[in-house]
Amino acid sequence: MQTVFDGQSLITAEIIAGSLGRGKLENHGEEFETARAELALILHATQQQIEQQKYPAEIVRRLLSLLSALRAKVHPDVWQALIPVAQNHPILEYFLQDPLTHWSFTKPRGYSGDAQLLDYIYCDPHVADSVASASEIGKALYSHTQNVPSCVAARERRDLLTRYVDETAAKNGPDTEVLAIAAGHLREANRSVALAEGRLKRWVALDQDPQSVGLIARDFQGTAVEAVDGSVRTVLTRGHKLGKFDLIYASGLYDYLQHNVAVKLTKTCLQMLKPNGTFLFANYAEGTPDAGYRETFMDWVLLLRSEVDMWNIVNASVDRNAVEAKVFFGENRNVLYAVIEKRG
């Protein structure tokens, strides 16, 4: 993936889709026609439910299930060709009443998976007015989409990050230094006891989106949090003299990084750790059951990984004799975590 992470070139669905190494659709012509016919039936049945004014949460629940099943059984090239078919269907407008789906699909900040989208997933107070102003159908859709497995996993991930920060501070004392790469709005900091009690020396929040950086600077003024405008490229080229850290984490970034970029970033982060420091990265897992809906009606494509994929990044990045490493699923098994601890 020849993506330039320079703070200007933001990640789009087209960039991700172009990085997936797909083959030619003509090799799957018959399968595509069969799958397109099945998708047409799914979309038509959904349209009928909408016209019959069925309960919105039930409509979207059924659609998620059917899209997931279709995505799982067709070749990836075929699925990629089906995405625009779904997006060009008239029922899209119905689902865009959902504030979460609408923000993801329209991309007001110009790229997928931005921090405001995560606020919708977190049900954060910052988006409460937006949700309140949605139509009754939109609110009913959101009552379901905010609780699909990947959203539940994102909230688990936020809380796990808070726990890692607090545990690191408990272990290392008031000189604890933390770095969040692609920090978004740093919502995990809102729940940190260590931050609230002043038990951190600094918590550097690096993000390529100036809006996110500005919001962090405003919300955490007077705390140990330092908002820094920077990108993956900034880290790789040591564009900022950030120093060394007890904990470095990248919670949502690896979902957009091809293997070779992920390895390079992992190696760099390990060099930025203090002795006995910890690096954590997370990635949505293969088999996430709402991926079909997310990639079509939300226009949000991620690079999903398996445990083997995660270990491949770890093993290509480190001397296993010099670190302690583990890979594990989150509670609902939709996010994978890799944790690498540098031996002193």
Side-chain angles (χ1 to χ4, degrees):
M1 184 162 71
Q2 301 303 309
T3 312
V4 180
F5 296 96
D6 57 3
Q8 324 274 302
S9 306
L10 299 171
I11 300 160
T12 65
E14 291 76 19
I15 288 173
I16 299 299
S19 76
L20 297 176
R22 302 307 190 199
K24 295 181 178 179
L25 184 61
E26 52 261 36
N27 297 332
H28 311 281
E30 186 176 342
E31 183 186 0
F32 173 69
E33 292 305 325
T34 302
R36 183 165 63 175
E38 183 174 343
L39 177 61
L41 288 173
I42 293 170
L43 299 176
H44 179 67
T46 304
Q47 188 168 27
Q48 287 183 315
Q49 289 187 315
I50 293 170
E51 291 168 355
Q52 293 163 4
Q53 298 184 336
K54 300 284 189 183
Y55 187 59
E58 180 58 27
I59 292 174
V60 73
R61 184 201 64 76
R62 179 178 178 275
L63 179 61
L64 258 80
S65 176
L66 293 171
L67 290 175
S68 176
L70 180 59
R71 182 185 185 276
K73 73 180 183 181
V74 301
H75 191 279
D77 294 345
V78 172
W79 175 251
Q80 287 299 311
L82 291 176
I83 289 176
V85 175
Q87 292 175 344
N88 288 317
H89 196 277
I91 64 171
L92 172 67
E93 293 304 318
Y94 177 84
F95 294 103
L96 290 183
Q97 293 179 79
D98 166 30
L100 174 58
T101 300
H102 185 272
W103 187 276
S104 181
F105 190 87
T106 57
K107 298 175 176 51
R109 293 198 186 178
Y111 65 103
S112 293
D114 64 81
Q116 180 91 345
L117 179 65
L118 285 177
D119 280 352
Y120 283 108
I121 290 172
Y122 294 157
C123 311
D124 191 87
H126 290 78
V127 297
D129 289 345
S130 171
V131 172
S133 65
S135 67
E136 291 307 308
I137 288 173
K139 291 189 186 82
L141 290 170
Y142 181 60
S143 73
H144 184 82
T145 57
Q146 68 177 320
N147 286 315
V148 298
S150 65
C151 291
V152 173
R155 295 193 289 269
E156 290 176 359
R157 182 182 64 191
R158 174 201 59 198
D159 295 343
L160 182 141
L161 296 174
T162 304
R163 191 172 80 238
Y164 264 83
V165 170
D166 286 354
E167 288 175 355
T168 301
K171 182 175 72 173
N172 294 292
D175 287 333
T176 298
E177 297 176 274
V178 177
L179 170 62
I181 301 174
H185 290 160
L186 202 75
R187 295 300 184 205
E188 58 272 18
N190 293 329
R191 296 163 174 248
S192 170
V193 175
L195 181 67
E197 294 180 352
R199 292 189 286 109
L200 295 171
K201 182 177 180 180
R202 61 182 184 133
W203 189 340
V204 177
L206 180 119
D207 201 273
Q208 67 176 358
D209 187 334
Q211 285 184 257
S212 295
V213 173
L215 188 144
I216 293 170
R218 183 197 72 195
D219 285 359
F220 294 101
Q221 186 175 8
T223 74
V225 172
E226 301 173 16
V228 177
D229 194 350
S231 63
V232 173
R233 171 165 286 195
T234 306
V235 178
L236 294 179
T237 61
R238 301 297 182 93
H240 292 311
K241 303 301 181 187
L242 297 172
K244 299 273 189 177
F245 298 89
D246 300 285
L247 172 65
I248 301 174
Y249 65 87
S251 62
L253 179 61
Y254 279 61
D255 294 312
Y256 304 96
L257 301 183
Q258 196 184 30
H259 174 82
N260 60 339
V261 181
V263 169
K264 190 172 182 182
L265 179 61
T266 303
K267 287 180 176 179
T268 303
C269 288
L270 290 169
Q271 292 168 5
M272 296 167 67
L273 286 178
K274 298 178 187 177
N276 300 310
T278 299
F279 175 56
L280 178 153
F281 66 90
N283 211 113
Y284 271 111
E286 284 183 350
T288 307
D290 45 276
Y293 180 84
R294 186 181 66 236
E295 292 172 358
T296 51
F297 291 94
M298 295 180 74
D299 194 36
W300 186 13
V301 181
L302 302 172
L303 300 179
L304 305 178
R305 287 191 160 99
S306 66
E307 286 181 277
V308 171
D309 295 331
M310 297 288 277
W311 275 118
N312 285 343
I313 294 172
V314 172
N315 290 332
S317 305
V318 302
D319 173 1
R320 289 288 295 279
N321 294 316
V323 302
E324 297 287 343
K326 60 182 177 180
V327 170
F328 59 94
F329 281 99
E331 285 183 33
N332 82 345
R333 300 188 67 80
N334 283 278
V335 170
L336 278 161
Y337 299 90
V339 176
I340 305 172
E341 296 180 4
K342 190 175 185 179
R343 291 177 180 156

